[in-house]
Amino acid sequence: MLEIIKTVIKAIPIGLATTFKNIFRKPTTLQYPDVMPDLSPRFRGLHYLARYPDGTERCVCCGLCAAACPANCIYMEPMENEKGERKARIYIINEIRCIFCGYCEEACPEEAIFLGREFEFCKYNIPDFIYDKEMLLGVFDKIEKDRRVREGHKFIRNARFDFRSPVHAMKHPDYKREKTE
Amino acid sequence: MADQVTLTIEGREVTVPKGSTILDAATRLGIVIPTFCWDPRLRSIAACRMCLVEVEKSPKLVTACAAPAMDGMVVKVFSDKAVNGRKAVMEFQLVNHPLDCPTCDKGGECELQNHSFSHGPGQKRTSEPRNRVIFDGKYVFDEIPIGPVIWYNSNRCIKCYKCTRLVKEIAGDADLGAFNRGYKTILHRHKNVPFKSEFSGNTVQYCPVGALVADSFRFKERTWMLEQTPSVCHLCGDGCNTALWHQGQKLFRIYARWNNHVEDGLICDRGRFGGLYADDERRLQHPQIRKEGKLVEVSWNEAIRYVADMLENIMDKHGGESIGFIGNEMLSNEEAYLFNRFARQVIGTNNLDFRFEDRHLPSKELNFHLLSIMSDRVPYIDFKKFDNILFVGADSEVRHPVLTLWVKRAIYSGASRTYAAYHRKTDYNLHPAESIEYFPQGEYNFLLCLYKALKGDDIKDITSSAGVRAEDVEKWAEDFKNGKTLIFAGEDVYNNPRGTENIQLIEAIRDLLGQESKVNILFDGANYIGNILCGATPGILPFGVDNIYDNRKALADSWGAEKLSDSEGMNTAEMLNAAAEGKLKALFILGADPVGFYPGRGIAEKAMKKAEFKVVCETFLTETGKSADVVLPLAAFPEYEGTLISTEGRLQSFQKAYETAYTSAEGWRIMLRIMQKLGFEEDYNGPEDIWNEIGDNSEIFSNISHKGVSFRGLLIDMKFDKKRETDISGFEAVEAPKPPPEYPLILTYGTSVYQKRHLTHYAADMEKIEPGARIYMNTKNANSIDIHDNDTVRVSSGKGSLTLKLTTDQRVRPGTVFIPTNFIEAEFNTLLDSKADLTFVKVEKL
């Protein structure tokens, strides 16, 4: 009996050692959605289709993103716009099929499609996850609007350097200038 | 070994015939040398310099495609000097080439992309902006339409001159040329003449970059997204091998499949752009039944049951002989066989025919005669072995563009001379050809003149009846006596009131010229021979057997039928006449449009009105369909499979690209379902089953499988006995046609080179090439009545009148006018009298 009591008294601090060790640490969980997580700079979220500064879409519907896509979630049909340029008539991404690998972004020769930082796009219906061209351009417009508000309506000269990817950051003309100076 | 040379390439010895190039020798060794401007069908011009190789003892690099292989030559393809030389050429090519691969329709199948990936430098060293040729501010990206269906982008052009050489050397046209010099060179059409050669589409296929783009494929789909299905073109009898490029149930483009023995990679624009009709949305989408005077959409089950019930009623009331079957010459062998089984076994009639565009149809005997001549035919690749090539009664470049291409090659290689006899000039493209124009339907008189001239008789008395000059015919006869002659007997020779005599005369002429000379028959329609051999004519049973009692009995035994009809059977002309008189109670029409295309619209309309029950299966709603009781949507050619026999006698199979679009069904399936409702007990899973049955029962098609003929085709052996009747001593010239004074002109009609019946009307490109129906008239005639180009005129005959735009044309024989038949809005057959052989018209300015 005594031995049992001895063992229990010994075991309690051993068992609670980890608890006591961590009880004064800063918690790793976040009070989401009151506190937003700090995303990695290379985080890949919801897609968007970028525009030129004059408002026309960059995408020329070349089909390379669809060819690169391992999940086959991109579908497109081209058309000729009133200026005689090739643009997308239909551009669809099935976001529920997408595995967010970012190959489409890598493949894009026009730097038109990007994976943004948006991850809060849950829906009640699966068909709502099929994003068409207008919705994807709308995501870009929203990002651009937020940025202008945040950065005091500063006009971003070229949307292609606008994203936080380290590769693109290095391509930015301002980046070079900083280095040389 | 005087005519062989031995050289060393990359340390390996190779022996090639004298005159071969280094490129040929390297290809024999399996060494790939990159090229842009080289093409096996064209003369080497070494324009692109991409094939540079190093030859020992030669101070500079040489172009492999143009340098002849010589004895003892030592060639290095992969030495540093050669590789660097090609790299430099690639760099030069890319200095001004725009980086618009994402928007270029050649992207993915571009030779420049491939070669710059494997041979080129990764970067360019120049910092100047790329040269940009701007034609017109209207077009962004500097693209201009150089023809109705082709766009040209000069910035992308690498100046290999393949397009101009294809058009000039092979097609014999001079529509396209190179202008300016150096880096300012542009390829362009000649001033004010649109690039409209009937082989213009080939320049798009063989352009190594995206400089020439077809309008129908511009900004449509990326090439790597498309699937390819091997097929055979249905729009004429030449049997060109094509590849259908499709995605899902959408047909994007048709390319040549490059069969060396048939089309050699060059197909005409009718097949390339016209074949896209299969993709049109105006297609019939549902089965329709006429209820209270209107066509109402119904389900397939209801439609099939209704057709079977009605046919059974008519068979009970009037017998099977009161039902007629009209097919079309594009039916595959399997469809034709089932069509014949439907009519002969299930209905019990011999009234079936597949020809409906002519009134003077060849009889049973003439058909056998034609087939027996075909057993000794000349294949395309052997045309150049003949010294003289004579076309009689054939508008060959219109009805057989690719066959004519082989004749043109024979001409341009210097081997042959061409002679064309027709009722209008056909030497538009056959430049070195001589031509004689006789009166419309004057084939008989002309052949008689030629025969007598060859025999050395005096022909001065009879030439006027043919409308030709005696010295011309005598000169031709002199020419034919020297050397071998190949005679092409065209459609107008046998679809003629004197068809039998014409063919006898042609055989007699061939005999006079000696055994070395040959006769080829030209058959219009994708499967004319196959339709005859599979039993789709009244007089001939399947497998080319005469329709006599013994054969009928044997066939009935093999089919398990009690008895087949003993009647003579009617051809289309007789059937329409009988239906108009009320003798024929029902018509089953498969893919045919007698109202639109039978010469004599009145009789066809009357037949459709008088017959109690009309079933029409067709892809697009035609005039015939509008007056039918039941309209069933027929699948277009990419949607089913089968075999065809070309005019060369080549059996080829075409594959199914995708499932039938909308709710249409294949011809064989429609017929089989109706037959099964009428008590037919057998079942087929597909055309292959039907083909196996044909093969089991016939001598001609035995041991040939569907797959066996899918790649290169097979020249079938036509085992027909020669039934020769060459006694032509009693033949005398008939009178020349004399137009009455009130109608001074003779009406001629025929297809246009870009069209095939109403079908190509539904291809968007064809409408751009030929925007509307016109009437063609000789300049002399037009001037005499003060009519000029583009005037609107009224053409009237005793039967009706038409209002059309006029084009003056030197090629039309004076005293005649020509109307193309393929335009739905111009109902040419309203002018035609269904009784008279020739129709006389007058033309008035409006």
Side-chain angles (χ1 to χ4, degrees):
Chain A
M1 187 67 192
L2 250 179
E3 280 188 3
I4 294 169
I5 293 166
K6 266 183 191 171
T7 335
V8 168
I9 291 167
K10 259 187 194 173
I12 286 171
I14 291 170
L16 286 172
T18 314
T19 313
F20 286 126
K21 219 191 275 174
N22 286 309
I23 204 161
F24 302 109
R25 275 200 186 165
K26 218 179 140 193
T28 46
T29 50
L30 287 175
Q31 289 299 316
Y32 178 81
D34 296 337
V35 181
M36 293 300 279
D38 193 14
L39 297 178
S40 145
R42 294 168 74 172
F43 180 80
R44 300 187 294 263
L46 179 62
H47 299 84
Y48 62 82
L49 281 174
R51 289 184 194 270
Y52 284 106
D54 65 355
T56 52
E57 72 246 36
R58 297 187 70 98
C59 176
V60 296
C61 201
C62 71
L64 288 177
C65 49
C69 183
N72 267 349
C73 67
I74 308 179
Y75 175 78
M76 64 184 72
E77 278 179 23
M79 65 162 188
E80 188 178 355
N81 72 359
E82 61 280 358
K83 286 183 200 161
E85 296 163 335
R86 182 189 172 113
K87 294 286 171 200
R89 183 168 69 84
I90 297 172
Y91 190 99
I92 291 170
I93 299 184
N94 188 345
E95 295 288 353
I96 208 144
R97 263 186 162 237
C98 178
I99 58 166
F100 297 94
C101 64
Y103 282 8
C104 48
E105 185 182 344
E106 300 254 325
C108 185
E110 297 288 321
E111 306 195 5
I113 190 161
F114 293 104
L115 277 78
R117 305 171 73 74
E118 177 67 52
F119 57 90
E120 297 166 308
F121 55 102
C122 296
K123 307 253 160 55
Y124 286 104
N125 298 319
I126 285 177
D128 294 346
F129 281 97
I130 295 170
Y131 276 59
D132 65 11
K133 193 178 89 173
E134 297 308 316
M135 288 162 89
L136 292 164
L137 286 166
V139 177
F140 172 79
D141 292 342
K142 189 171 165 288
I143 293 170
E144 192 70 350
K145 201 179 153 194
D146 290 353
R147 183 191 313 288
R148 285 188 193 186
V149 170
R150 201 168 60 240
E151 298 182 2
H153 294 270
K154 191 179 142 199
F155 178 69
I156 303 295
R157 192 166 52 82
N158 201 336
R160 66 200 282 190
F161 299 119
D162 158 43
F163 190 60
R164 294 271 179 261
S165 158
V167 180
H168 291 133
M170 279 194 288
K171 277 188 191 168
H172 198 288
D174 295 341
Y175 180 87
K176 269 187 190 167
R177 215 172 296 140
E178 279 164 23
K179 280 271 171 187
T180 47
E181 281 163 15
Chain B
M1 299 291 277
D3 47 354
Q4 299 272 322
V5 289
T6 305
L7 67 161
T8 316
I9 302 177
E10 282 296 309
R12 287 156 72 191
E13 274 201 357
V14 61
T15 308
V16 289
K18 215 170 194 173
S20 312
T21 58
I22 298 174
L23 189 71
D24 296 337
T27 311
R28 187 165 286 199
L29 285 176
I31 297 170
V32 178
I33 300 174
T35 56
F36 289 117
C37 71
W38 177 79
D39 189 297
R41 299 160 300 198
L42 301 171
R43 278 176 229 138
S44 295
I45 58 164
C48 68
R49 321 300 293 177
M50 192 59 211
C51 58
L52 290 177
V53 291
E54 189 187 349
V55 176
E56 263 183 24
K57 292 175 192 161
S58 160
K60 291 203 281 183
L61 297 174
V62 300
T63 48
C65 73
M70 283 186 280
D71 231 353
M73 219 178 209
V74 180
V75 181
K76 288 173 188 165
V77 181
F78 303 114
S79 67
D80 286 349
K81 197 178 167 190
V83 168
N84 285 335
R86 290 201 293 270
K87 205 178 217 175
V89 168
M90 202 64 230
E91 197 175 350
F92 276 123
Q93 298 280 21
L94 293 171
V95 162
N96 285 322
H97 194 84
L99 286 175
D100 61 352
C101 299
T103 56
C104 174
D105 286 301
K106 200 79 177 184
E109 53 174 14
C110 173
E111 285 177 36
L112 193 70
Q113 273 183 341
N114 295 346
H115 289 340
S116 74
F117 184 72
S118 49
H119 304 276
Q123 280 182 325
K124 85 168 196 171
R125 288 175 289 172
T126 51
S127 56
E128 289 80 16
R130 289 163 198 271
N131 180 40
R132 204 174 153 194
V133 184
I134 298 171
F135 292 100
D136 190 343
K138 208 170 97 192
Y139 299 103
V140 191
F141 297 149
D142 322 324
E143 272 179 308
I144 53 156
I146 54 168
V149 292
I150 291 177
W151 288 72
Y152 174 61
N153 185 328
S154 180
N155 301 327
R156 291 180 192 152
C157 179
I158 57 164
K159 280 87 188 180
C160 68
Y161 306 109
K162 243 187 196 173
C163 47
T164 54
R165 286 184 294 150
L166 271 173
V167 170
K168 206 176 280 174
E169 283 182 26
I170 294 182
D173 297 341
D175 295 17
L176 204 64
F179 298 87
N180 302 342
R181 291 183 61 111
Y183 72 95
K184 285 183 180 166
T185 312
I186 55 163
L187 296 152
H188 209 300
R189 58 177 188 232
H190 293 285
K191 212 173 185 179
N192 297 332
V193 184
F195 177 40
K196 225 171 127 174
S197 159
E198 64 259 34
F199 295 98
S200 65
N202 293 305
T203 59
V204 175
Q205 183 172 353
Y206 295 108
C207 183
V209 289
L212 290 157
V213 174
D215 191 42
S216 54
F217 193 65
R218 188 168 169 259
F219 299 167
K220 281 291 184 306
E221 189 53 282
R222 308 303 293 184
T223 46
W224 61 82
M225 297 282 196
L226 304 179
E227 283 176 67
Q228 285 184 64
T229 304
S231 184
V232 175
C233 183
H234 283 52
L235 297 176
C236 79
D238 290 353
C240 297
N241 289 206
T242 56
L244 309 174
W245 292 65
H246 58 95
Q247 186 193 38
Q249 283 185 329
K250 189 162 167 54
L251 183 62
F252 280 93
R253 65 179 183 189
I254 298 172
Y255 263 21
R257 188 147 52 88
W258 208 328
N259 184 340
N260 290 356
H261 297 274
V262 183
E263 89 294 328
D264 209 15
L266 300 160
I267 59 173
C268 66
D269 283 4
R270 187 197 319 181
R272 188 181 294 272
F273 301 126
L276 297 176
Y277 75 83
D279 200 43
D280 196 272
E281 287 172 1
R282 285 168 282 182
R283 271 176 60 172
L284 275 173
Q285 306 200 354
H286 297 278
Q288 295 173 13
I289 288 180
R290 191 171 295 278
K291 286 178 181 166
E292 295 163 359
K294 266 186 190 172
L295 286 173
V296 185
E297 287 179 7
V298 292
S299 70
W300 267 109
N301 277 342
E302 192 184 338
I304 295 282
R305 202 180 309 127
Y306 180 66
V307 172
D309 286 351
M310 290 300 284
L311 288 179
E312 204 159 20
N313 270 348
I314 289 168
M315 275 161 68
D316 290 346
K317 242 190 265 172
H318 307 283
E321 297 291 345
S322 63
I323 301 175
F325 286 76
I326 302 175
N328 72 84
E329 76 286 351
M330 282 149 78
L331 295 180
S332 66
N333 291 328
E334 292 81 358
E335 280 177 322
Y337 179 72
L338 208 64
F339 182 65
N340 131 79
R341 223 173 148 176
F342 187 11
R344 291 215 163 93
Q345 185 188 348
V346 178
I347 304 289
T349 175
N350 275 325
N351 306 333
L352 78 166
D353 205 341
F354 67 94
R355 307 155 293 184
F356 65 96
E357 286 180 273
D358 258 297
R359 195 165 57 246
H360 307 292
L361 298 169
S363 61
K364 172 173 83 175
E365 289 76 22
L366 183 54
N367 270 332
F368 273 123
H369 198 159
L370 295 177
L371 291 177
S372 76
I373 293 174
M374 284 304 283
S375 62
D376 195 20
R377 66 196 176 272
V378 182
Y380 295 159
I381 47 169
D382 290 343
F383 289 174
K384 58 178 179 291
K385 291 182 186 165
F386 290 85
D387 304 313
N388 309 307
I389 296 174
L390 166 67
F391 284 100
V392 185
D395 199 353
S396 63
E397 76 231 7
V398 168
R399 298 215 179 195
H400 301 281
V402 171
L403 182 141
T404 312
L405 211 57
W406 284 98
V407 175
K408 282 178 190 170
R409 284 185 182 192
I411 301 169
Y412 291 128
S413 67
S416 319
R417 278 170 301 171
T418 311
Y419 303 84
Y422 196 49
H423 59 65
R424 62 194 173 102
K425 269 200 172 67
T426 58
D427 64 347
Y428 182 55
N429 292 328
L430 295 168
H431 293 296
E434 291 180 29
S435 78
I436 284 183
E437 302 100 64
Y438 45 73
F439 283 124
Q441 288 195 2
E443 284 84 8
Y444 172 74
N445 284 348
F446 166 74
L447 287 168
L448 199 63
C449 287
L450 188 62
Y451 174 71
K452 293 207 166 160
L454 279 169
K455 270 181 84 176
D457 295 356
D458 186 33
I459 55 165
K460 293 238 161 40
D461 311 335
I462 53 171
T463 43
S464 63
S465 62
V468 297
R469 288 189 302 171
E471 53 269 33
D472 288 348
V473 181
E474 274 160 3
K475 186 193 164 287
W476 281 25
E478 275 308 307
D479 288 353
F480 294 157
K481 277 175 192 163
N482 313 319
K484 294 194 283 181
T485 305
L486 175 60
I487 305 172
F488 284 103
E491 293 80 6
D492 286 17
V493 172
Y494 57 87
N495 285 337
N496 193 299
R498 298 181 171 273
T500 319
E501 289 95 323
N502 288 344
I503 294 294
Q504 283 177 17
L505 273 169
I506 282 187
E507 287 230 297
I509 289 170
R510 203 269 314 271
D511 290 349
L512 277 181
L513 293 172
Q515 280 303 311
E516 295 276 86
S517 300
K518 291 276 164 65
V519 177
N520 265 21
I521 309 287
L522 297 177
F523 294 103
D524 193 17
N527 196 22
Y528 197 100
I529 300 174
N531 268 300
I532 295 178
L533 291 182
C534 289
T537 46
I540 302 176
L541 293 179
F543 330 123
V545 180
D546 199 355
N547 190 357
I548 51 173
Y549 180 76
D550 293 346
N551 294 338
R552 267 203 300 276
K553 196 160 184 312
L555 191 68
D557 288 346
S558 77
W559 281 349
E562 287 168 23
K563 187 177 165 293
L564 299 183
S565 168
D566 287 329
S567 68
E568 277 275 300
M570 292 189 264
N571 65 22
T572 304
E574 290 160 352
M575 268 190 269
L576 289 175
N577 279 317
E581 287 163 18
K583 285 180 201 157
L584 217 58
K585 302 294 177 197
L587 284 172
F588 182 90
I589 298 172
L590 182 64
D593 181 12
V595 175
F597 292 93
Y598 181 72
R601 196 187 188 84
I603 202 92
E605 273 176 348
K606 207 174 164 195
M608 289 302 285
K609 204 181 274 176
K610 275 274 182 123
E612 281 173 25
F613 184 63
K614 292 89 63 178
V615 190
V616 177
C617 312
E618 58 191 3
T619 319
F620 296 97
L621 190 64
T622 59
E623 291 297 312
T624 315
K626 281 174 195 163
S627 54
D629 292 311
V630 181
V631 181
L632 303 174
L634 194 66
F637 70 93
E639 294 158 14
Y640 60 96
E641 58 195 15
T643 53
L644 299 172
I645 302 177
S646 72
T647 183
E648 192 194 10
R650 188 180 290 272
L651 180 71
Q652 303 181 105
S653 78
F654 59 98
Q655 307 292 317
K656 175 181 182 170
Y658 43 81
E659 289 299 319
T660 50
Y662 311 116
T663 53
S664 57
E666 305 94 322
W668 64 268
R669 203 186 291 275
I670 298 175
M671 285 188 284
L672 187 64
R673 294 291 170 258
I674 299 173
M675 284 158 75
Q676 284 170 339
K677 279 268 185 297
L678 288 169
F680 183 69
E681 279 163 3
E682 287 171 52
D683 198 3
Y684 303 103
N685 284 326
E688 204 161 347
D689 282 4
I690 307 174
W691 179 253
N692 290 341
E693 187 182 315
I694 298 174
D696 291 345
N697 290 315
S698 84
E699 226 178 290
I700 305 166
F701 301 128
S702 56
N703 299 326
I704 300 173
S705 71
H706 243 204
K707 288 207 173 65
V709 292
S710 63
F711 185 50
R712 283 288 180 242
L714 184 78
L715 279 175
I716 55 165
D717 192 11
M718 290 195 224
K719 300 160 188 161
F720 288 98
D721 297 334
K722 290 229 157 194
K723 290 177 189 166
R724 303 280 298 275
E725 290 168 37
T726 44
D727 179 30
I728 55 163
S729 52
F731 283 17
E732 284 196 8
V734 292
E735 253 184 66
K738 285 204 185 72
E742 64 269 31
Y743 297 114
L745 298 164
I746 306 175
L747 175 70
T748 60
Y749 54 88
T751 51
S752 138
V753 66
Y754 302 107
Q755 308 282 350
K756 175 71 185 176
R757 286 215 289 278
H758 60 285
L759 294 171
T760 47
H761 182 81
Y762 293 97
D765 282 339
M766 293 293 110
E767 255 179 77
K768 284 179 210 152
I769 293 176
E770 273 193 322
R774 285 177 163 258
I775 177 167
Y776 296 86
M777 194 180 198
N778 192 289
T779 323
K780 229 184 263 173
N781 281 121
N783 287 344
S784 70
I785 47 175
D786 197 27
I787 301 180
H788 304 285
D789 245 355
N790 292 329
D791 284 351
T792 310
V793 295
R794 184 193 285 127
V795 197
S796 39
S797 74
K799 285 279 165 184
S801 70
L802 277 181
T803 308
L804 293 168
K805 285 220 161 187
L806 181 127
T807 304
T808 52
D809 192 341
Q810 292 285 6
R811 290 181 289 151
V812 178
R813 185 193 157 88
T816 64
V817 289
F818 175 77
I819 300 181
T821 58
N822 312 87
F823 298 94
I824 298 170
E825 67 274 12
E827 298 158 348
F828 80 100
N829 55 2
T830 49
L831 296 175
L832 301 177
D833 187 352
S834 58
K835 298 266 159 45
D837 285 348
L838 282 172
T839 307
F840 304 108
V841 293
K842 67 176 174 196
V843 175
E844 299 157 306
K845 192 173 176 176
L846 280 182

